[in-house]
Amino acid sequence: MTNPLLTPWDTPHALPPFDAIKDADFAPAVEAALSEARGNIAAIADNPDAPTFDNTVAALELAEATLGRVLGVFYGVAGADSNPAREALQRDFSPLLSAFGSEVTANAALFARIEDLWTRRDDLDLSEEQARVLMLSRRGFVRQGAQLTGTAADRLRDVKSRLAVLGTQFTQNLLADERDWFMPLAEEDLVGLPDFVIDAARAAGEAGDHGGPVVTLSRSLIVPCLQFSPRRDLRQRAYAAWTARGMNGGATDNRALAAETLALRGERAKLLGYDSFADYKLETEMAGTPGAVRDLLMQVWAPAKASAEADAEKLTALLHADGIAGPLEPWDWRYYSEKRRQAEHDLDEAALKPYLQLDRMIEASFACATRLFGLQFEPFDGPVYHPDVRLWNVTRDGKHIAVFVGDYFARASKRSGAWCMAMRSQQKLAGDVQPIVVNVCNFAKPAAGKPALLSYDDARTLFHEFGHALHQMLSDVTYESISGTSVARDFVELPSQLYEHWLEVPAVLSEFAVHAETGAPMPQDMLDRMLNAATYDMGFQTVEYIASALVDLEFHAGPPPADPMQRQAEILGDLGLPHAIGMRHATPHFAHVFAGDGYSSGYYSYMWSEVMDADAFAAFEEAGDPFDPALAQRLEQTVLSSGGSVDAAALYQQFRGRMPGVEALLKGRGLAA
């Protein structure tokens, strides 16, 4: 029988034929694709002709095309709609793919061809993009150990293989903890909760066949529970479960995995000649060094902590006014902060939420992209991996630009958080290849017949992930290795965080923030109060984020800790983390850092990019028009379409004319002196 993953896809816009793909198809497809890739690599390495850019570097760009196509489908589905078979395949594929990667970078004949081109680069008459791809290719080989030999090379291969296994296991343990826990709610437990929270709890109970309303560990349900439940005992239970993910003992406990991961990363860095893993990882980022990262985070930590401590005093007073004598606890913060927000800003999220319908916020994100970049979005029917998934054809001036895939609702089979991925990336080397871009979120699914309602934070998340999607969709490069979001990690969050600013444009909210039942626009005074409260509780948000970012940095900047939990406690103690604020992501559920190398030593990236996004949007404010056509065109040409074809700092300076300081960030967060 023909494997649908290995045949041409006769579907709208060549989407993966999800209706024909079975889990049993993945392993043989990966095996066949690996065999093909090995043959292509061997043909390049053994080519008797002298190395040229085309027969070596460009050929490498295409060598793993089939493998990339198969894995794009598999990992897209495995992250958003997992099941036991897919989890088993992930465990099987991790060491297999790591071994293949090591095999490629250890191919001495192949690296010799790349090195030959590198030594002759000034005489090759390369375009700027080709020169960049050659540099990145050679650097990638070196950083993966191509210059190591003997026992050092063998050990590095084993270390990378084990790290791949650990990252997969960490992810699956976390998903299991999130999937298995729920807290049943009796009818009396619902008293005091807004209707939207009750509806979400009932919907979660129905989806899990629990026989009644429940709280799950989906962020879109547990955070409103912590915000609105007047039952302190229920808040404490929910918070304890939320923060215990990955450290409940037994088969899904991640603490030993984190310790082994840190030790192996440290060993990897030493094998490659670096003092620490952070030195190794940050070498290719905009920040460059652990010291630069630490300096940025500490510049923001002091004012953020001062703001949070001042807020804690006010929230403690509210706690005591309720007759509770003890100190403010982490499970109290969101509840009393919501009370204070209602009192000080006359802003009740329960009253606000009906104006933030998911469908209208999707329309708003599209409408901003239309005004800024001329993109049009047309829904269409095609094969999808889950019934909740929606498809749009993205065009400009009648030309197909991309397929946009939206997967918005939480479910037990989906890992937590929100992310953007490309099942197919833009490139021109193999023809005019247009991307398939996926946004995955975890919003609470409404009960049947009711609209999905978002918090303002949810709406920001939607805009954030769509900013990543635009980076993929507007990519205009020749080589896939530098396409879309293939940029420095501390630059990749610039387009996403910058796009969040358009949600705050009053004209956008006036048009799209309409009541779910009446259709009336959000009253102007409510809109004003919502925008004026945009920096409310920012001390808390900044402190919990920086605590996580600094723990990540210090884990990797020094000797790997034998006991990460003890080291985490020491770092937080040295910082003076306020008692009632926890890390945004504690070590055992810090998937950004331990589910793979992506954000390891790099969780700071959100704040590094925020320095730029605050400054970049200021350019539109200075122009007096958030949709200024000339600025939008320059943003697309310099940042969004260029991918990794130019150094990140150079791209930003092309857009703004200079690099920014931290002042715009502090001002944007309401933390400026």
Side-chain angles (χ1 to χ4, degrees):
M1 183 178 291
T2 303
N3 191 317
L5 287 160
L6 299 174
T7 58
W9 294 341
D10 185 20
T11 54
H13 304 297
L15 281 164
F18 292 109
D19 48 352
I21 297 170
K22 298 179 176 59
D23 287 341
D25 294 324
F26 285 114
V30 168
E31 182 180 355
L34 276 171
S35 178
E36 177 188 291
R38 284 191 169 98
N40 292 338
I41 296 294
I44 298 167
D46 300 337
N47 189 341
D49 295 336
T52 66
F53 182 89
D54 287 340
N55 72 16
T56 303
V57 178
L60 271 174
E61 289 276 328
L62 301 174
E64 301 171 24
T66 301
L67 182 62
R69 182 170 81 148
V70 172
L71 293 178
V73 176
F74 174 72
Y75 283 109
V77 173
D81 192 26
S82 189
N83 61 30
R86 292 167 191 167
E87 290 179 9
L89 287 169
Q90 283 181 290
R91 292 192 294 271
D92 291 342
F93 290 165
S94 292
L96 195 69
L97 295 170
S98 176
F100 171 69
S102 294
E103 179 185 318
V104 173
T105 53
N107 187 316
L110 180 61
F111 181 61
R113 294 180 69 87
I114 294 172
E115 193 74 349
D116 175 78
L117 292 171
W118 179 246
T119 60
R120 297 187 292 114
R121 60 191 180 277
D122 293 337
D123 301 322
L124 297 178
D125 194 27
L126 300 178
S127 69
E128 289 185 14
E129 188 174 335
Q130 289 174 326
R132 176 78 173 169
V133 171
L134 173 59
M135 184 278 289
L136 293 172
S137 298
R138 192 252 181 194
R139 187 176 75 180
F141 268 72
V142 171
R143 286 173 58 80
Q144 291 301 319
Q147 293 176 320
L148 296 183
T149 58
T151 57
D154 293 341
R155 180 55 186 161
L156 182 62
R157 181 192 62 236
D158 293 343
V159 165
K160 289 192 290 185
S161 178
R162 180 59 180 162
L163 283 170
V165 170
L166 291 170
T168 298
Q169 190 61 57
F170 189 99
T171 303
Q172 293 187 354
N173 288 349
L174 182 54
L175 178 61
D177 278 5
E178 292 172 345
R179 180 177 55 216
D180 294 344
W181 186 89
F182 64 93
M183 181 172 68
L185 298 176
E187 289 301 312
E188 58 266 27
D189 299 333
L190 303 175
V191 174
L193 293 176
D195 288 344
F196 77 86
V197 180
I198 295 173
D199 290 344
R202 294 193 191 283
E206 291 174 11
D209 197 24
H210 296 305
V214 299
V215 173
T216 69
L217 293 181
S218 168
R219 189 177 187 89
S220 59
L221 184 50
I222 201 163
V223 169
C225 172
L226 293 170
Q227 273 183 287
F228 294 104
S229 176
R231 290 277 301 278
R232 197 181 192 215
D233 59 326
L234 296 182
R235 296 199 311 270
Q236 184 174 1
R237 280 181 60 195
Y239 184 84
W242 176 244
T243 54
R245 292 169 297 151
M247 55 178 176
N248 288 303
T252 62
D253 198 295
N254 276 333
R255 285 172 286 190
L257 300 187
E260 186 179 357
T261 296
L262 293 171
L264 290 174
R265 285 177 179 164
E267 184 179 357
R268 179 181 181 180
K270 295 293 186 184
L271 285 168
L272 291 168
Y274 295 87
D275 290 337
S276 71
F277 184 80
D279 287 301
Y280 162 75
K281 191 67 185 296
L282 294 172
E283 178 186 52
T284 60
E285 308 299 334
M286 293 184 74
T289 66
V293 173
R294 195 177 291 109
D295 287 348
L296 169 68
L297 294 175
M298 293 310 296
Q299 281 186 71
V300 185
W301 173 259
K305 182 184 175 186
S307 175
E309 288 174 335
D311 289 342
E313 291 183 10
K314 297 177 181 178
L315 301 185
T316 300
L318 293 176
L319 175 80
H320 292 167
D322 274 352
I324 301 171
L328 186 75
E329 297 290 351
W331 51 88
D332 296 319
W333 189 292
R334 287 179 174 86
Y335 178 71
Y336 286 102
S337 180
E338 182 63 27
K339 273 192 165 186
R340 180 184 164 213
R341 182 169 73 155
Q342 291 183 32
E344 293 187 4
H345 293 275
D346 191 19
L347 196 63
D348 180 357
E349 186 167 311
L352 181 68
K353 208 160 185 177
Y355 291 96
L356 299 174
Q357 300 172 69
L358 171 62
D359 284 350
R360 295 313 307 271
M361 291 299 101
I362 293 171
E363 291 177 31
S365 68
F366 290 172
C368 291
T370 299
R371 291 188 64 180
L372 288 164
F373 310 115
L375 300 178
Q376 301 291 332
F377 300 83
E378 184 69 29
F380 72 97
D381 293 326
V384 293
Y385 58 82
H386 189 277
D388 287 344
V389 172
R390 301 159 69 177
L391 302 171
W392 286 269
N393 177 29
V394 186
T395 61
R396 179 157 59 185
D397 299 328
K399 181 183 184 297
H400 174 66
I401 297 292
V403 171
F404 177 64
V405 183
D407 182 0
Y408 295 107
F409 294 127
R411 52 180 172 267
S413 61
K414 183 189 288 187
R415 63 181 171 90
S416 61
W419 65 93
C420 175
M421 64 162 292
M423 282 192 178
R424 181 174 69 224
S425 296
Q426 179 273 330
Q427 52 120 330
K428 298 175 184 175
L429 191 60
D432 191 12
V433 178
Q434 302 299 341
I436 299 172
V437 186
V438 188
N439 272 180
V440 184
C441 298
N442 269 283
F443 304 139
K445 190 172 184 179
K450 295 198 174 185
L453 305 179
L454 305 182
S455 67
Y456 192 61
D457 186 56
D458 287 338
R460 289 177 68 92
T461 296
L462 187 147
F463 267 67
H464 177 101
E465 297 306 332
F466 193 70
H468 282 309
L470 287 171
H471 202 181
Q472 296 276 16
M473 291 189 286
L474 292 172
S475 178
D476 186 22
V477 298
T478 301
Y479 303 96
E480 184 176 349
S481 64
I482 55 170
S483 174
T485 56
S486 298
V487 298
R489 181 65 62 178
D490 47 13
F491 188 71
V492 77
E493 297 298 337
L494 169 61
S496 54
Q497 294 179 178
L498 175 58
Y499 204 67
E500 292 178 32
H501 289 275
W502 275 276
L503 175 62
E504 301 171 352
V505 173
V508 173
L509 288 167
S510 296
E511 180 176 358
F512 294 99
V514 298
H515 199 278
E517 294 179 6
T518 67
M522 182 183 291
Q524 186 63 46
D525 67 322
M526 179 183 284
L527 190 154
D528 292 341
R529 283 182 276 118
M530 183 179 74
L531 293 177
N532 289 337
T535 59
Y536 175 73
D537 213 22
M538 195 56 74
F540 169 87
Q541 294 178 43
T542 307
V543 162
E544 65 164 6
Y545 164 78
I546 295 181
S548 292
L550 281 167
V551 166
D552 166 43
L553 179 69
E554 301 304 343
F555 271 174
H556 294 99
D563 184 346
M565 299 306 294
Q566 179 182 338
R567 181 68 182 123
Q568 173 185 291
E570 291 169 355
I571 296 166
L572 299 180
D574 290 343
L575 283 172
L577 181 69
H579 171 74
I581 303 178
M583 294 170 65
R584 183 171 298 179
H585 305 289
T587 297
H589 53 260
F590 206 165
H592 280 79
V593 171
F594 291 103
D597 276 356
Y599 280 89
S600 55
S601 302
Y603 193 62
Y604 77 92
S605 300
Y606 293 92
M607 186 153 283
W608 191 276
S609 292
E610 190 178 341
V611 171
M612 290 182 285
D613 85 61
D615 179 68
F617 193 72
F620 286 89
E621 294 175 322
E622 291 161 11
D625 179 4
F627 297 99
D628 183 86
L631 275 176
Q633 183 180 35
R634 191 159 85 233
L635 178 64
E636 178 179 350
Q637 290 175 343
T638 56
V639 175
L640 297 175
S641 70
S642 297
S645 63
V646 179
D647 176 74
L651 287 177
Y652 189 81
Q653 290 181 73
Q654 287 174 24
F655 173 69
R656 196 66 166 109
R658 53 168 172 74
M659 291 301 293
V662 74
E663 296 79 14
L665 178 148
L666 292 172
K667 180 181 177 183
R669 285 183 171 247
L671 300 174

